[in-house]
Amino acid sequence: MRILVVTTLLTDFAGAGGVESVVREQARALTAAGHSVVIVAATPGGAPADMADLDVRALPMLVDVDPRMIIPRRLADSLRLAARDVDIAHIHLCRDFVTTRATSLLARLAIPQVIQAHGMLDSPSGLLSRIFDSAATKRSINRARLALTLWEPEEQALRRLGYRGRVLRTVNSVGDLPPRDAIAPQAPTVLFASRIDRRKQPTRFVEMAQRVSALRPDVRFVMVGPSGDASQDLSAAIRALPPEIPLDYQGAVRRDDVFDLLDRASVLVLPSVREPFPMVAVEAMARGVPVVLSHDCGLAELAEQYQAADVVSPTVEKLTEAVLAILSDGRLAASLSAAGLRLVRERLSPAALGADLTAAYQSALAS
């Protein structure tokens, strides 16, 4: 099968899970399953170095700011060239000019479409989002034959926007990761790796760090992730910390740097709410890192089934209790590590993802 993939943005600094990681792993899983995949996306400096094995058609960018405001040049020409002889298009749809316009252009070319929104089409919170939905998003979603969702709230959000088509549930996967480095013993480290958005609750991680540090002053805390709508809140929270608390916010980092940080982490903490399926949690499990996971998350049910993470309410109190338990109980940490590895191996492998996507595309083409 020949598959065209369209996503908003690909960069070398997407190394904290997210849509970019999903696109990468899906493309590799489909290629391994024998399909031909072409990816079209806006890129600030050409295809990311860690996607050199994939066919990425880079769109020059007029605007390099908020991804939702990217206006790529030559989108129509690039899509026409990339869409030659393709069987189906997989659009990673967000409220932006790249993916919504792509659905319109591909509809004119009579290319069957599958959409996947990754929870990015939650109910709009502002006037501009509502205007954009009326002008573009609602039309875009109903050009698709099929929508792939990661959990029930995502399907509900699509229905509220007026999506009338079929829905299939899918999962994310993680492919072959770089070998885990042998790390010399060091201070216990608690890691946050995600975009600095309010729904990721980065300031709650800071509050948790202060409480953990009061009982375990030997523990250090590291935060990484690109700027988002909570960046100012995070800066204020970090400035308010007592100077003796060792919390280091490193900003956006490269994908390989995330793996280095995971190799040094004693536990990964994701205090997010309304989180469809966090890739960084899957990547942590694949490297044997214990995970503390919010229950308001599409991965939570599977993680609980395998006992592969400590799934908690994302309050400061519960996060603190979970982190302290893992840091103080080596058997608990080892159990979470082993269960996470088993979950990834049995349910989140590239082979399973490739088979699921193939079946989804065949279903869409048959409709």
Side-chain angles (χ1 to χ4, degrees), residues 298-317:
L299 180 59
E301 182 177 353
L302 199 55
E304 287 186 310
Q305 178 184 335
Y306 275 76
Q307 298 182 323
D310 195 345
V311 179
V312 300
S313 174
T315 64
V316 176
E317 293 77 10

Side-chain angles (χ1 to χ4, degrees), residues 79 94 192 231 243:
L79 280 178
C94 299
F192 173 101
S231 293

Side-chain angles (χ1 to χ4, degrees), residues 40-248:
V40 173
T43 65
D50 67 349
M51 298 182 75
D53 59 315
L54 300 171
D55 186 356
V56 178
R57 312 290 174 86
L59 298 170
M61 292 166 51
L62 290 177
V63 180
D64 185 11
V65 286
D66 186 328
R68 293 168 296 181
M69 300 304 295
I70 290 170
I71 304 174
R73 292 175 288 174
R74 300 195 296 273
L75 175 61
D77 290 342
S78 297
L79 280 178
R80 287 191 191 97
L81 287 172
R84 287 180 178 175
D85 301 320
V86 302
D87 297 301
I88 197 163
H90 185 149
I91 315 297
H92 294 270
L93 187 65
C94 299
R95 287 185 178 95
D96 62 62
F97 294 108
V98 177
T99 57
T100 54
R101 190 172 175 217
T103 66
S104 175
L105 293 167
L106 292 169
R108 293 178 204 168
L109 296 172
I111 304 294
Q113 299 178 40
V114 170
I115 59 170
Q116 185 172 358
H118 307 274
M120 303 297 287
L121 297 180
D122 283 348
S123 298
S125 57
L127 177 60
L128 288 178
S129 293
R130 292 195 292 272
I131 293 172
F132 192 89
D133 284 347
S134 296
T137 311
K138 292 181 179 181
R139 297 179 184 180
S140 292
I141 59 177
N142 282 307
R143 294 184 179 113
R145 296 189 181 187
L146 180 68
L148 300 179
T149 63
L150 294 161
W151 66 329
E152 181 67 24
E154 188 176 8
E155 178 178 349
Q156 294 170 356
L158 287 173
R159 297 300 185 194
R160 285 194 296 271
L161 279 170
Y163 177 65
R164 300 183 296 273
R166 294 188 303 121
V167 172
L168 282 180
R169 197 65 48 82
T170 187
V171 297
N172 291 332
S173 81
V174 61
D176 295 331
L177 300 179
R180 181 163 188 172
D181 294 331
I183 303 298
Q186 57 178 350
T189 301
V190 182
L191 177 65
F192 173 101
S194 194
R195 181 175 292 277
I196 309 302
D197 285 339
R198 290 191 178 93
R199 72 180 181 89
K200 307 287 188 177
Q201 302 203 110
T203 57
R204 194 153 293 185
F205 181 91
V206 176
E207 294 178 65
M208 176 218 69
Q210 186 166 1
R211 294 198 184 189
V212 171
S213 190
L215 297 172
R216 289 288 304 267
D218 59 318
V219 176
R220 61 189 295 264
F221 305 88
V222 176
M223 302 183 73
V224 296
S227 298
D229 60 18
S231 293
Q232 291 185 348
D233 297 338
L234 176 61
S235 296
I238 293 174
R239 285 195 303 270
L241 281 176
E244 66 271 15
I245 296 179
L247 189 149
D248 179 21

Side-chain angles (χ1 to χ4, degrees), residues 331-361:
R331 285 188 296 181
L332 173 60
S335 174
L336 291 171
S337 174
L341 288 166
R342 185 167 69 89
L343 168 57
V344 170
R345 182 175 64 251
E346 293 182 2
R347 301 291 294 275
L348 305 178
S349 69
L353 177 63
D356 284 350
L357 289 174
T358 299
Y361 298 154

